[in-house]
Amino acid sequence: MSGVCQTLMMIVVLSCGIVKVQSKTKENKELLIGGLFPMSGDGWSGGQACLPATQMALKDVNNRQDLLPGYTLKLSVKNSECQPGLGLHKMYELLYKQDTKIVLLSGCSLVSTFVAQAAHMWNLIVLSYGSSSPALSNRDRFPTFFRTHPSATINNPTRVKMFQQWGWKRIATIQQTEEVFTSTVQDLEERLKDSGIEIAVRANFLTDPEHAVRTLKRQDARIIVGVFYETMARKVMCQAYKQKLYGKKYVWFLIGWYPDNWYMQSESDVNCTVDEMKAVLEGHMTTEALVLYKEKNVTETGLTASKFTERLNKALNVSDPTRIVGYVEAPLAYDAIWALAFALNRSINSLKLKSMSIDDFVYSNQQIAEDIYSSVNRTKFLGVSGPVSFTAQGDRISWTQIEQMTGGVYKKIAFYDYSHDVLEWNSTNPVRWIDGRPPQDSTIIQTELLLIDQTLYITMSTLAVLGILCGVIALCYTTRLMGSVLWDLNTLCVVGFIVCLLCVFMSGLDGRYLNKDHLLVVCQIKAWTLCVGFTLAYGSLFSKITVVYRMNTKKKKSLKQELSTLQLAAIVGFLLLVDLVILVTWHLVNTQYIITDSFALENPQNSLQDIKRQPIQQHCTSENLHIWIGLIFSYKGLLLIIGVLFSYDTRRADQQPFEDGRFIRMAIYNVAVLSFITAPVMLIINGQQNATFTFLSAAIILSSIISIGLICLPKILRLHSSSKNASNESLHLMTACNNQQYKQLQQQNDKLKEEIKQKENILHMLRDFKPSKTTDGNLESTAEL
C-alpha cells in the first residue's frame, strides 16, 4: 500500500513540475525528452526517487540563462515497470503518439537493453541513469547508448583490489539469472583470473535461491560475491541465515544500490525476521559507484552534494527518504539531465556553424543525430554525483565506494579510484571484523602424511632380524649335511624365506625416510623381492612334496630316478621364469608410479582456528594394477592349492626312507594358510597403513620362522643326536677290544705257567735220578729216561 502511495505522490510531483516549468518558460521552444521510469513492478522501481531528482534538474537547467538559450527541456514520462516488453511498448507510445523526442531517458538495465538496441533506428540517443548491465557497453549492439550510472563491472576492479588487500585467493559467486548479472560475473571472473584469484564456487538461480545457497554451503564458500535485484537479495540472505552461512568465517559482497533499509522490507515469501536479517548481514560489504560527490565545494550544476540531498529529501517529503527505492541513484538521474543540457547546448552552437538548427531534428535526420552523439560523447563536468564523463563505449567514468554494515548501519569504509588504482581508506570508519581479523577464504587444510608408527616399525624389524638370524644359523648347520640334493633344496628354501623377511624392512619405508623418487624404487624392488623370495621358499617345498608324491604314486621307478637333480631344479627354475616374465612385462607395459590418496577431513584437537586436518597417504600403483596383482595371486594361489593337495595325499609317506616328509607338509600348510588369509585381508584393509604393515609383516615373519624351524630344526637335532651316538659306539668298541686282548693274554699267561710247571717237574725228576753201574743198567736207565 505504501508503494502505491509513493507512486501516486511521484506522479503528482511530476505533474506539478511540468506545469511549473511550462509556466516559467512558455515563451521558449521545447526540446522533448522521452522518459521511461520504473515506478512500480517486481524489478527495480528506482523511478520513485529518480523521477523527483530529474524534475529538480529540469527546473535548475531551465532556470539557467546561459544554458540552452531560447529552449526549454520538457520530459514526457512513461512507467516501464522495469519490464522489457512493456518498456518497448511505452517507447513506441512516446515516439508516435506525441511530438518528436530528441533524446530518450531510461532506467533499469532490462528496459535499457531493448530500448537502446532499437533506438538508433530512429537516430535517437539513449541516456540511462540506472542501468548497470555490462552488456550495454557493446557499441555494436547499442551504438547510441550512454549512461551516468557506471557499469556494474566498475565494481569488479574494486572487488579484486579488496581481495588482494586481504590476501583472498578463493572466491564464490551467486547470481540471479539475468543478463546484467551474468555479464558482471563473467567480467569478474576474467579480472580474477588475471590476478591469480580463483572462483571456486559458482551458483545461480532464477526465482528460488535455496539450492544455490546450499551449494555455497556444501562447497565451503567463505568470500561470497552476490549479484541480484533487491527483492531477490532478501530471499538469498534469508536462506543464508537458515544455512548458517554467516558469522566470523564469512564475508558477503553485495550490490551497493539497494536502499539502506532494504532488508527490513517484509515479503510473504521471505520468512526471516528483521533481527535475523541483521544477524546474517552483519559485517557484509557493498561496492557501488560513487553516486554522491564527497567534497563540499559547489559543482557545475550550482549545488553542493549536501544541498542536493537536502532538496531531494524535501521533494520526497517522507520521514525516511532513504527507504524509497532509487534514492541512491537519484544523483545520477539529476546529473543525467545536466549532461543532456550541456550536450544539447554544445550541439545548438555547432549546428549554427553548419547553418542548421536543432529544431529541424526528425527521426530520419542522421546528421543532427550524429552531432548530438558527438556532443554527449565529449561532455565533461562536475556534477552532484562527482565528475561526469563518458568512455568510447558510453560508460560513466567514476570512483567507487565501499560500505560495511555494522550494527545494522552502513558505513563508508573506503573509496577506490580505478583510473589511478588507488584505494583510499576512511580513517573515521575502519573495517570491523567479527573475529578481529579478516576471515580466511577457505578452511585451512593441513595435510598430514599418514606414516607407519615408528615403534611398530622397529618391533617388526627386530622380529624380522631375529628371523634372518634363525635362517643364517640354520644354513650354517645344514651346510654340514650337504650330502644329498634334498639338502640343497632346503638351503634354497631358507634363502627364500630370508629374502621374504627383507621385505619387512622395505614395507615400512615411507615418506618419513624417503622422497617420492626413492620410494618408487623401493616399491619396485619390494615387488620383485617378495615374488622371487616366495618362489625360492615355497618353490623348494613344492618340488620336495612333488618328489614325495611321485615316490608314492609311481612305485615302479627307483628312488634314484625320483630324486633327479635336474627334475627338482627344473620345478624351481620354471617358477622363477614365470615370475620373471610377469614382472618384466608388468614393468614394461604399466610402469609403477606414486600416487597420493586423500581421506576425509578431520577436526584437529585443541584448535580454535578454522583448520581441518587432511590425512594423505602415498603408495605405489600402476595402470591395470588389479589385473597384474590378480595374475600373480592366481598362479601362486594355484601352486599353494596343489601343494596342499600333494601334502594331503602323502600324509602316510612317513614309512618311506625319506624322513622329513611330515615336516615338509607342515611347512606347506603353514605357508598356504597364512597366504590365503593375508592376501584378501590386505585388499580389504588397504589404506590403513599401520594395520596393513602389521598384517603383512606378521604373516611374513610367522611363515618364515615357522617354516625354517620345521625344515631345519629336526635336522639340526638329528645332527646332534647322531654325533653323540657315534661317540658312544666308539667307546664301547674300544672297551670290548681291550677285554678280548686281556683274556687272550691271560690265557697265554696261563698256558705259559703250565708249561713252566711241567719243565720244573722234569728238572726235579732229573735231580732225583741215580745211574746204574753195569753197562746194561746204564743203557736201561738211559732208555727209560
Side-chain angles (χ1 to χ4, degrees):
M1 190 66 182
S2 61
V4 175
C5 294
Q6 289 177 356
T7 302
L8 292 175
M9 181 189 67
M10 297 303 118
I11 295 174
V12 171
V13 172
L14 169 61
S15 302
C16 295
I18 293 176
V19 171
K20 189 174 182 180
V21 170
Q22 287 177 342
S23 64
K24 287 189 176 184
T25 61
K26 59 183 179 181
E27 69 278 4
N28 293 333
K29 296 179 182 180
E30 292 181 344
L31 297 177
L32 298 181
I33 302 172
L36 297 172
F37 286 80
M39 304 301 298
S40 59
D42 295 332
W44 181 69
S45 54
Q48 296 177 16
C50 290
L51 182 55
T54 303
Q55 293 297 330
M56 288 171 50
L58 285 170
K59 179 181 178 181
D60 294 341
V61 168
N62 290 331
N63 286 337
R64 283 275 295 262
Q65 300 299 320
D66 61 335
L67 196 60
L68 297 175
Y71 292 94
T72 298
L73 291 181
K74 180 181 177 180
L75 179 66
S76 297
V77 178
K78 295 291 183 179
N79 182 10
S80 68
E81 297 184 14
C82 201
Q83 298 296 325
L86 180 61
L88 281 176
H89 176 69
K90 296 299 182 181
M91 183 189 77
Y92 294 144
E93 289 183 356
L94 289 171
L95 296 181
Y96 293 111
K97 292 185 179 181
Q98 298 179 4
D99 294 334
T100 301
K101 306 300 182 298
I102 199 164
V103 174
L104 290 179
L105 201 64
S106 66
C108 68
S109 297
L110 289 176
V111 174
S112 296
T113 300
F114 288 88
V115 170
Q117 200 164 2
H120 70 93
M121 300 293 184
W122 290 269
N123 292 311
L124 284 173
I125 302 297
V126 179
L127 180 60
S128 176
Y129 55 85
S131 301
S132 60
S133 173
L136 292 167
S137 300
N138 189 336
R139 268 286 175 254
D140 294 330
R141 289 180 61 190
F142 314 103
T144 61
F145 180 78
F146 294 88
R147 51 182 163 185
T148 56
H149 192 300
S151 170
T153 57
I154 200 171
N155 295 312
N156 290 337
T158 308
R159 291 165 178 151
V160 173
K161 188 69 175 180
M162 287 191 293
F163 299 158
Q164 293 174 333
Q165 180 76 22
W166 292 311
W168 293 328
K169 295 293 185 180
R170 185 177 184 271
I171 309 300
T173 61
I174 178 172
Q175 67 166 91
Q176 185 179 355
T177 308
E178 298 285 354
E179 184 181 21
V180 55
F181 304 127
T182 301
S183 53
T184 299
V185 172
Q186 289 175 349
D187 178 77
L188 176 62
E189 184 171 1
E190 292 176 1
R191 294 177 185 274
L192 291 175
K193 184 177 180 181
D194 293 339
S195 302
I197 301 174
E198 172 194 12
I199 295 185
V201 186
R202 299 170 180 82
N204 55 73
F205 63 94
L206 185 60
T207 57
D208 186 2
E210 180 179 0
H211 179 71
V213 175
R214 288 181 181 273
T215 300
L216 296 178
K217 181 69 174 181
R218 185 171 57 254
Q219 298 293 332
D220 192 34
R222 299 301 180 87
I223 313 303
I224 307 168
V225 177
V227 284
F228 24 71
Y229 286 120
E230 176 188 340
T231 53
M232 288 299 173
R234 286 188 282 270
K235 295 181 181 180
V236 171
M237 299 316 296
C238 184
Q239 287 296 329
Y241 177 82
K242 294 177 180 179
Q243 297 296 328
K244 300 188 182 302
L245 210 63
Y246 66 97
K248 65 180 182 180
K249 296 180 180 179
Y250 303 93
V251 178
W252 283 83
F253 286 85
L254 303 181
I255 296 173
W257 40 258
Y258 305 150
D260 287 353
N261 64 340
W262 64 271
Y263 61 93
M264 298 182 183
Q265 305 297 324
S266 60
E267 296 182 13
S268 58
D269 52 353
V270 179
N271 54 352
C272 288
T273 65
V274 174
D275 290 337
E276 290 172 344
M277 294 293 284
K278 280 185 179 180
V280 73
L281 289 170
E282 181 64 23
H284 87 278
M285 298 184 186
T286 64
T287 55
E288 175 60 0
L290 186 62
V291 295
L292 192 63
Y293 189 45
K294 63 178 182 175
E295 303 297 336
K296 297 181 180 180
N297 57 297
V298 178
T299 66
E300 293 181 47
T301 64
L303 296 177
T304 63
S306 60
K307 185 62 177 178
F308 164 79
T309 303
E310 180 182 343
R311 287 181 58 189
L312 178 63
N313 293 344
K314 185 177 180 180
L316 294 175
N317 194 24
V318 292
S319 58
D320 186 4
T322 60
R323 301 182 66 174
I324 297 178
V325 180
Y327 183 82
V328 174
E329 290 78 17
L332 303 176
Y334 183 86
D335 283 346
I337 296 298
W338 278 94
L340 287 177
F342 286 124
L344 293 175
N345 189 68
R346 182 180 289 108
S347 290
I348 291 172
N349 295 327
S350 63
L351 289 172
K352 285 182 180 179
L353 299 176
K354 302 175 184 177
S355 300
M356 299 175 66
S357 174
I358 200 170
D359 301 337
D360 300 330
F361 176 76
V362 291
Y363 297 142
S364 60
N365 195 325
Q366 186 175 359
Q367 188 174 3
I368 295 178
E370 290 177 352
D371 191 276
I372 296 174
Y373 176 90
S374 177
S375 297
V376 174
N377 195 43
R378 290 184 292 166
T379 297
K380 185 176 183 181
F381 67 98
L382 179 62
V384 296
S385 63
V388 179
S389 60
F390 304 100
T391 66
Q393 290 76 33
D395 292 335
R396 166 78 179 273
I397 300 174
S398 174
W399 281 43
T400 54
Q401 66 181 15
I402 304 106
E403 293 183 321
Q404 183 184 36
M405 177 175 282
T406 56
V409 178
Y410 282 106
K411 297 180 180 179
K412 293 180 176 61
I413 59 173
F415 301 93
Y416 179 62
D417 181 5
Y418 173 60
S419 59
H420 297 90
D421 192 26
V422 175
L423 186 61
E424 180 182 313
W425 295 99
N426 188 352
S427 59
T428 59
N429 291 319
V431 181
R432 298 184 184 275
W433 304 107
I434 298 176
D435 198 28
R437 58 184 176 182
Q440 300 160 181
D441 58 7
S442 62
T443 301
I444 295 179
I445 306 299
Q446 292 184 342
T447 57
E448 181 176 338
L449 183 61
L450 295 179
L451 302 172
I452 296 172
D453 184 73
Q454 274 192 310
T455 303
L456 178 63
Y457 180 63
I458 293 173
T459 302
M460 289 300 175
S461 298
T462 302
L463 293 176
V465 170
L466 293 176
I468 293 173
L469 289 176
C470 292
V472 172
I473 293 172
L475 287 176
C476 292
Y477 275 96
T478 53
T479 51
R480 301 177 60 182
L481 301 173
M482 293 292 291
S484 68
V485 176
L486 291 177
W487 275 110
D488 290 337
L489 290 177
N490 284 344
T491 301
L492 196 61
C493 181
V494 173
V495 170
F497 282 120
I498 291 176
V499 172
C500 290
L501 288 169
L502 294 176
C503 291
V504 174
F505 304 102
M506 290 183 282
S507 298
L509 296 176
D510 49 28
R512 178 189 288 118
Y513 309 103
L514 304 172
N515 57 33
K516 279 191 175 183
D517 294 335
H518 295 160
L519 190 62
L520 177 60
V521 174
V522 170
C523 283
Q524 295 171 341
I525 294 176
K526 182 175 66 175
W528 282 76
T529 302
L530 189 57
C531 284
V532 172
F534 180 87
T535 300
L536 290 175
Y538 181 77
S540 300
L541 296 174
F542 183 79
S543 64
K544 292 176 70 175
I545 199 64
T546 302
V547 171
V548 176
Y549 179 78
R550 294 183 64 185
M551 287 172 58
N552 287 270
T553 55
K554 297 184 179 182
K555 297 182 178 179
K556 294 182 179 181
K557 291 186 178 183
S558 64
L559 179 62
K560 183 177 180 180
Q561 290 174 326
E562 294 294 342
L563 297 180
S564 170
T565 302
L566 182 61
Q567 291 177 351
L568 294 174
I571 296 175
V572 180
F574 175 76
L575 297 179
L576 286 174
L577 181 61
V578 173
D579 280 343
L580 181 64
V581 171
I582 294 176
L583 292 173
V584 170
T585 306
W586 182 5
H587 181 74
L588 295 178
V589 175
N590 298 128
T591 305
Q592 286 184 306
Y593 56 89
I594 301 294
I595 65 170
T596 301
D597 289 336
S598 299
F599 299 92
L601 295 175
E602 300 175 357
N603 293 318
Q605 297 180 351
N606 303 323
S607 178
L608 299 178
Q609 297 182 353
D610 188 14
I611 297 175
K612 293 284 187 180
R613 174 177 172 267
Q614 175 70 75
I616 61 173
Q617 186 180 51
Q618 294 177 339
H619 63 90
C620 299
T621 188
S622 70
E623 299 295 332
N624 304 314
L625 177 65
H626 292 88
I627 295 177
W628 296 108
I629 295 296
L631 181 60
I632 294 174
F633 280 9
S634 297
Y635 105 86
K636 291 189 180 295
L638 182 62
L639 290 178
L640 289 170
I641 293 173
I642 295 174
V644 170
L645 294 177
F646 282 2
S647 299
Y648 181 78
D649 288 342
T650 59
R651 63 189 182 280
R652 294 189 177 87
D654 292 342
Q655 302 297 327
Q656 298 294 331
F658 184 42
E659 296 181 355
D660 63 348
R662 179 165 60 94
F663 300 109
I664 294 173
R665 291 196 301 274
M666 292 176 64
I668 290 176
Y669 292 148
N670 168 61
V671 174
V673 169
L674 289 174
S675 297
F676 286 138
I677 293 174
T678 302
V681 172
M682 289 288 294
L683 296 177
I684 295 173
I685 65 174
N686 186 31
Q688 304 178 32
Q689 73 283 358
N690 287 328
T692 302
F693 174 70
T694 302
F695 209 90
L696 177 63
S697 300
I700 293 176
I701 293 171
L702 285 176
S703 61
S704 299
I705 293 178
I706 293 174
S707 297
I708 290 173
L710 289 172
I711 294 170
C712 298
L713 187 59
K715 293 292 188 284
I716 294 173
L717 294 177
R718 189 163 61 249
L719 174 63
H720 283 282
S721 177
S722 299
S723 300
K724 184 176 179 180
N725 292 336
S727 177
N728 291 335
E729 288 177 0
S730 299
L731 180 61
H732 178 73
L733 181 61
M734 184 180 298
T735 303
C737 292
N738 290 337
N739 290 336
Q740 185 176 4
Q741 290 179 356
Y742 175 76
K743 288 180 180 180
Q744 291 177 354
L745 290 175
Q746 190 174 15
Q747 290 176 356
Q748 291 178 359
N749 185 45
D750 291 341
K751 185 178 180 180
L752 290 174
K753 285 182 178 181
E754 184 67 25
E755 290 179 353
I756 291 172
K757 186 176 179 179
Q758 291 177 359
K759 295 295 183 182
E760 288 179 349
N761 291 333
I762 294 174
L763 289 175
H764 285 296
M765 291 175 65
L766 292 175
R767 288 176 183 166
D768 294 338
F769 177 72
K770 294 180 179 181
S772 174
K773 296 183 179 181
T774 59
T775 308
D776 295 336
N778 291 335
L779 291 173
E780 184 179 356
S781 299
T782 304
E784 290 177 358
L785 182 59

